[in-house]
Amino acid sequence: MNVFRHSKALGLTALCALILATGCNEATPYTDSSSISQTPNSMARGIPEGDVSSASQGAPEESVSSQESSSASASTITLQVNTAAEEQNQPTVATLTTYGDYNQLASSLSQLMQDADVVAKIRVEKATAFINEQGMIQTEIVPQVEQVFKGGLDGQNLYVNGGQMSYEEYIANETIQKAVEGHEAPEGEEQPQLVQQVVDGQYLVQEGQEYLFFAKLRPDSGKLYSLYAYQGTFLIEGDVAENAALDSEEPLAQQLTEQFGLTARSSGVEIPLAQLEEALQQG
């Protein structure tokens, strides 16, 4: 196994080793350039929905439709550190950005509605990041339900991939400790204050935010996860609902652009909230 070279400037030996433990074969040696990345030969859009392994990034969900589920694996995993944060009196943040393969994605708003178990407009009352059994940071959301378009939420929480937590909490996790065993940071090495994981551009959920949330019930855990990962969360900003993670070339973005007469963008969509809510009410 390759071993990252240790950087005195950033002191992130353990986190760099975690990249090597993700199951990919190649990695760029860690230097004081403030970022590392690894890119196997195949590139792809992202991670499967729900509780996905960041240790192998390869444990696919059960198919959410009758279509056959295919395997999934990581394409790119990158670690970046905001080295200028201390100069700006801000906490230093190590960001793990993860992309992988999908076994299925929605191609239209009607498919999102059809495949979702719950569709609701929510305000985030509380957001708590945690590490799942495979080592991925995820976030549990306590929602304040403002409007329901399909199904219902009876005291149930919602879940998304990605999140942010303190470095101390992250590195103390048993799964993470096993992943970085043998690559621990030397004594006195500076560490980041926060660690965040961004999965295929999906929003890092924060308290007080509003979302249109498409949720799918996972039969194995009984938890409601964002449907098709990043596709199932639309952040509400004023009178607009946006999904910044959508790629302009994917069918869902193209269908939404056509349905709502949107201006074509290189990435993401911004839909007038009233029009989207009307379309959801009509089913």
Side-chain angles (χ1 to χ4, degrees), residues 217-266:
L217 184 68
R218 283 191 50 128
D220 56 346
S221 65
K223 295 178 179 178
L224 286 165
Y225 273 87
S226 175
L227 176 63
Y228 300 131
Y230 67 94
Q231 287 191 333
T233 49
F234 288 74
L235 177 65
I236 298 174
E237 296 276 14
D239 58 0
V240 171
E242 65 175 30
N243 188 322
L246 289 176
D247 188 283
S248 61
E249 296 183 0
E250 63 182 290
L252 178 59
Q254 295 175 351
Q255 187 277 323
L256 290 172
T257 298
E258 180 179 353
Q259 179 175 349
F260 295 101
L262 308 178
T263 301
R265 299 158 55 98
S266 59

Side-chain angles (χ1 to χ4, degrees), residues 159-178:
Y159 295 84
V160 295
N161 291 329
Q164 184 183 84
M165 62 176 57
S166 70
Y167 175 83
E168 288 77 10
E169 181 182 1
Y170 181 81
I171 208 67
N173 178 268
E174 183 177 353
T175 300
I176 301 303
Q177 286 188 342
K178 289 180 179 178

Side-chain angles (χ1 to χ4, degrees), residues 126-241:
K126 185 177 181 180
T128 305
F130 66 96
I131 299 174
N132 70 9
E133 294 180 357
Q134 291 77 32
M136 173 181 278
I137 299 179
Q138 297 185 321
T139 300
E140 179 179 14
I141 301 168
V142 178
Q144 178 182 331
V145 181
E146 298 182 340
Q147 188 173 359
V148 175
F149 299 95
K150 181 180 179 180
L153 286 170
D154 186 16
Q156 296 163 286
N157 292 340
L158 302 170
Y159 295 84
V160 295
N161 291 329
Q164 184 183 84
M165 62 176 57
S166 70
Y167 175 83
E168 288 77 10
E169 181 182 1
Y170 181 81
I171 208 67
N173 178 268
E174 183 177 353
T175 300
I176 301 303
Q177 286 188 342
K178 289 180 179 178
V180 301
E181 186 175 359
H183 303 280
E184 292 81 0
E187 184 176 353
E189 217 181 37
E190 183 181 356
Q191 302 296 342
Q193 294 166 280
L194 299 172
V195 176
Q196 64 184 22
Q197 185 163 11
V198 179
V199 181
D200 204 34
Q202 188 165 10
Y203 294 108
L204 292 176
V205 175
Q206 300 177 24
E207 295 177 8
Q209 290 179 326
E210 280 187 292
Y211 286 92
L212 283 172
F213 202 102
F214 297 78
K216 185 71 176 179
L217 184 68
R218 283 191 50 128
D220 56 346
S221 65
K223 295 178 179 178
L224 286 165
Y225 273 87
S226 175
L227 176 63
Y228 300 131
Y230 67 94
Q231 287 191 333
T233 49
F234 288 74
L235 177 65
I236 298 174
E237 296 276 14
D239 58 0
V240 171

Side-chain angles (χ1 to χ4, degrees), residues 4-72:
F4 282 106
R5 293 198 295 266
H6 143 214
S7 163
K8 291 182 180 179
L10 299 178
L12 294 170
T13 310
L15 281 176
C16 290
L18 180 62
I19 303 294
L20 286 175
T22 55
C24 295
N25 297 322
E26 301 176 0
T28 302
Y30 184 59
T31 66
D32 59 1
S33 64
S34 82
S35 70
I36 59 170
S37 65
Q38 39 141 279
T39 308
N41 294 330
S42 62
M43 292 293 292
R45 182 64 179 90
I47 294 294
E49 66 169 293
D51 190 359
V52 183
S53 167
S54 70
S56 67
Q57 302 292 356
E61 292 279 321
E62 291 187 9
S63 177
V64 294
S65 76
S66 59
Q67 296 184 16
E68 182 179 350
S69 176
S70 59
S71 62

Side-chain angles (χ1 to χ4, degrees), residues 42-117:
S42 62
M43 292 293 292
R45 182 64 179 90
I47 294 294
E49 66 169 293
D51 190 359
V52 183
S53 167
S54 70
S56 67
Q57 302 292 356
E61 292 279 321
E62 291 187 9
S63 177
V64 294
S65 76
S66 59
Q67 296 184 16
E68 182 179 350
S69 176
S70 59
S71 62
S73 59
S75 294
T76 305
I77 304 173
T78 304
L79 171 63
Q80 293 183 317
V81 184
N82 58 336
T83 54
E86 291 184 344
E87 300 175 5
Q88 303 168 359
N89 294 319
Q90 297 177 353
T92 52
V93 182
T95 302
L96 286 163
T97 303
T98 311
Y99 296 92
D101 296 328
Y102 282 92
N103 53 13
Q104 183 183 354
L105 288 172
S107 59
S108 66
L109 179 62
S110 61
Q111 185 180 356
L112 277 178
M113 280 291 289
Q114 178 179 331
D115 292 349
D117 292 312

